[in-house]
Amino acid sequence: ECTALTGLGETRTRQGRLDEARGLLQQAHLLARRTGNLGDQARVRIALAGLEEAQGRADAAEALLLAALPALQ
């Protein structure tokens, strides 16, 4: 479910449907946190970083990417 929500969020980001994207990605992040899956949490953070970048918030995007790194190493 988390993977599907993340994918939908990424698709909505590419479509410019940013409010929908944020809602989907927030759901995915909550699910990933509840299950304790660090890999899913990292993937959602990367997707959220793309959303932040699409909204012109490079600093927020960078912070999310840096937060995702430990789970990917």
Side-chain angles (χ1 to χ4, degrees), residues 36-68:
N37 187 317
L38 297 179
D40 280 349
Q41 289 178 44
R43 283 185 284 281
V44 175
R45 284 185 178 122
I46 292 166
L48 282 165
L51 174 61
E52 294 294 347
E53 183 68 29
Q55 294 182 311
R57 294 194 285 259
D59 289 343
E62 181 180 0
L64 284 161
L65 291 170
L66 290 172

Side-chain angles (χ1 to χ4, degrees), residues 17-43:
R17 297 162 62 177
L18 305 181
D19 288 337
E20 288 179 56
R22 184 167 301 282
L24 290 162
L25 293 172
Q26 287 173 340
Q27 281 182 267
H29 192 243
L30 180 61
L31 183 59
R33 287 177 47 214
R34 281 186 184 156
T35 62
N37 187 317
L38 297 179
D40 280 349
Q41 289 178 44
R43 283 185 284 281

